[in-house]
Amino acid sequence: MASALLLVFAVATLGGAGLGAAFDPNPLQDFCVADPTSKVHVNGQPCKDPSTVSAADFFFPGVDKPGGTASHRYGFSALSVDIPGLNTLGASHARVDVTPGGVFPPHYHPRASETAVVLEGAVYFGFVTSYPDNKVFAKVLRKGDVFAVPQGLVHFLHNNGTEPAALYATLSSQNPGLVLLGDALFGSGLPDDLLAKTFLTDTETAGKIGAKFRS
Ligand SMILES: *[C@@H]1O[C@H](CO)[C@@H](O)[C@H](O)[C@H]1NC(C)=O
């Protein structure tokens, strides 16, 4: 009896620790504005001297316009909204622009849930639940619509309309991580025969797809 109780306690404790580790830690102060010059490595970035902090540390202008890094392969560009004052506060933001016909292909963020609001245009946006259901929850979103993606689930968007589309995304981690499924599988150097078996196809087809990711 005692050992059974102990086992239940151990499992509950381990489960709790696992759950806790899936979210950013709670802050211990009002803010910890990132000091990008520090050479100290901590969980997040070290804090700037609070007496030197100003409103500019919590500010980022211009997300009404496209910007950031373009992925020509997929037809989107992503602008990371870099706010030093969000350091340690468990959040990050980005503006994503997608050209007509462009996609943000299936991907997931290992450490964050996401909420996205459409600023311009219309997109087909959704996520897929995990095995064994693999159920798609997706909708056509228009300007002013918001959609949420649970942590760690594969999601995508397709601008299948004729106008450029823009979204503003908020993620529940300072460092959400990004795994693009196509790139992770075909652009990583996994052997073609393994990829062929994974996609129930032949090695030649797997090699042909992979070559495009590696070029
Ligand atoms: C975009 O794709 C979705 C899902 O297939 C569809 O419901 C919607 O009508 C499409 N939009 C356009 C503009 O074709």
Side-chain angles (χ1 to χ4, degrees):
M1 181 66 193
S3 61
L5 270 180
L6 197 65
L7 181 65
V8 169
F9 177 72
V11 169
T13 311
L14 280 174
L19 194 67
F23 297 91
D24 289 3
N26 281 328
L28 300 175
Q29 59 271 306
D30 279 0
F31 54 75
C32 166
V33 173
D35 173 5
T37 63
S38 174
K39 297 276 181 282
V40 181
H41 293 273
V42 290
N43 194 20
Q45 282 181 288
C47 318
K48 191 169 151 175
D49 177 354
S51 69
T52 66
V53 168
S54 71
D57 291 311
F58 300 91
F59 177 71
F60 189 93
V63 294
D64 56 327
K65 294 181 193 68
T69 322
S71 169
H72 299 296
R73 177 186 290 168
Y74 298 120
F76 75 81
S77 69
L79 173 72
S80 177
V81 176
D82 184 15
I83 299 178
L86 275 182
N87 184 42
T88 75
L89 295 179
S92 50
H93 299 222
R95 174 180 165 129
V96 174
D97 287 87
V98 195
T99 56
V103 294
F104 202 128
H107 67 282
Y108 67 92
H109 307 290
R111 293 175 290 277
S113 304
E114 176 175 338
T115 310
V117 57
V118 177
L119 304 175
E120 300 295 341
V123 290
Y124 181 60
F125 185 106
F127 66 85
V128 186
T129 66
S130 58
Y131 181 87
D133 290 346
N134 302 310
K135 191 173 170 190
V136 177
F137 289 88
K139 275 180 84 65
V140 175
L141 306 180
R142 297 188 173 80
K143 188 172 178 169
D145 292 345
V146 181
F147 206 74
V149 178
Q151 176 163 344
L153 296 190
V154 170
H155 53 288
F156 57 87
L157 72 85
H158 181 193
N159 182 358
N160 58 347
T162 51
E163 302 295 321
L167 292 93
Y168 189 83
T170 306
L171 294 113
S172 66
S173 169
Q174 174 163 355
N175 188 16
L178 170 64
V179 178
L180 287 158
L181 299 189
D183 295 72
L185 291 165
F186 286 100
S188 59
L190 285 173
D192 287 347
D193 56 345
L194 171 62
L195 289 168
K197 287 186 191 296
T198 304
F199 287 90
L200 312 178
T201 187
D202 52 84
T203 307
E204 193 188 325
T205 306
K208 210 171 141 187
I209 299 171
K212 292 185 185 152
F213 282 88
R214 295 189 283 266
S215 65

